[in-house]
Amino acid sequence: MRKVLMIIIAALSLSGPAVANTAQRDTVEALLIASGADSALDAVYAQFDGMFANMAEQFKIEESERASFNKHMQKVNLMLQEEMNWDTLKEPMIDLYLAHYTEQELQDMLAFYQSETGQSVVKKMPEVMAASMQVTQQLMKDVYPKIMQMSKAYSEELKKQRAAD
């Protein structure tokens, strides 16, 4: 009887953290869904079209090669959707959130993203991010030549230093 009681106590003590872990995982999953992480992949796949167009330019795809290139890019897109979908990303993302946020932080974030303001943020964030990218790209157009000039000057300085050694 004593052994049975010890086994039951041990089993109950082991199941407590497992239940808490499951509850935390459920909280993070709800947070990811409320924050739109699951549907954000759709936006990523939509961006692939622009990337594919840039690749066509880089590869200098001719009109006669366009159909073959498009067919190849469709295969790439399909493979990405199969390999990098919500089902494959969900568990690692949950683990990531659990490793970096406390239970209270997770609960607070979930409450925010389930609120009207949080949902407004989720809906507007793709536009905000796209506009942010445009601003960054515009700024980089002005900064890039300066970086290149600095790099060229450093390269010349490095050549002189090596020649002196």
Side-chain angles (χ1 to χ4, degrees), residues 25-65:
R25 295 185 81 74
D26 290 346
T27 298
V28 174
E29 184 174 359
L31 168 61
L32 291 170
I33 291 169
S35 66
D38 60 330
S39 59
L41 286 174
D42 296 336
V44 170
Y45 296 133
Q47 290 177 346
F48 287 152
D49 291 337
M51 288 174 32
F52 295 159
N54 288 340
M55 287 177 68
E57 264 183 51
Q58 288 174 350
F59 290 145
K60 297 182 170 120
I61 299 297
E62 296 177 14
E63 199 55 43
S64 62
E65 301 166 322

Side-chain angles (χ1 to χ4, degrees), residues 6 9 17 19 24 26 47 61 64 92 113 158 163:
M6 293 300 283
I9 291 171
V19 169
Q24 284 180 314
D26 290 346
Q47 290 177 346
I61 299 297
S64 62
Y113 281 111
L158 189 59

Side-chain angles (χ1 to χ4, degrees), residues 64-118:
S64 62
E65 301 166 322
R66 181 74 52 189
S68 171
F69 176 78
N70 288 343
K71 185 176 180 180
H72 170 70
M73 288 294 101
Q74 286 174 346
K75 287 180 185 178
V76 169
N77 198 355
L78 182 61
M79 181 276 301
L80 286 169
Q81 289 183 31
E82 289 172 358
E83 298 289 327
M84 300 288 295
N85 58 51
W86 180 242
D87 290 334
T88 59
L89 289 174
K90 179 174 68 171
E91 292 303 318
M93 291 300 293
I94 290 172
D95 291 339
L96 184 68
Y97 274 63
L98 287 173
H100 292 281
Y101 296 110
T102 66
E103 177 66 25
Q104 186 61 53
E105 291 168 331
L106 293 169
Q107 291 296 333
D108 291 348
M109 287 188 289
L110 179 58
F112 170 75
Y113 281 111
Q114 287 178 334
S115 73
E116 188 175 325
T117 301

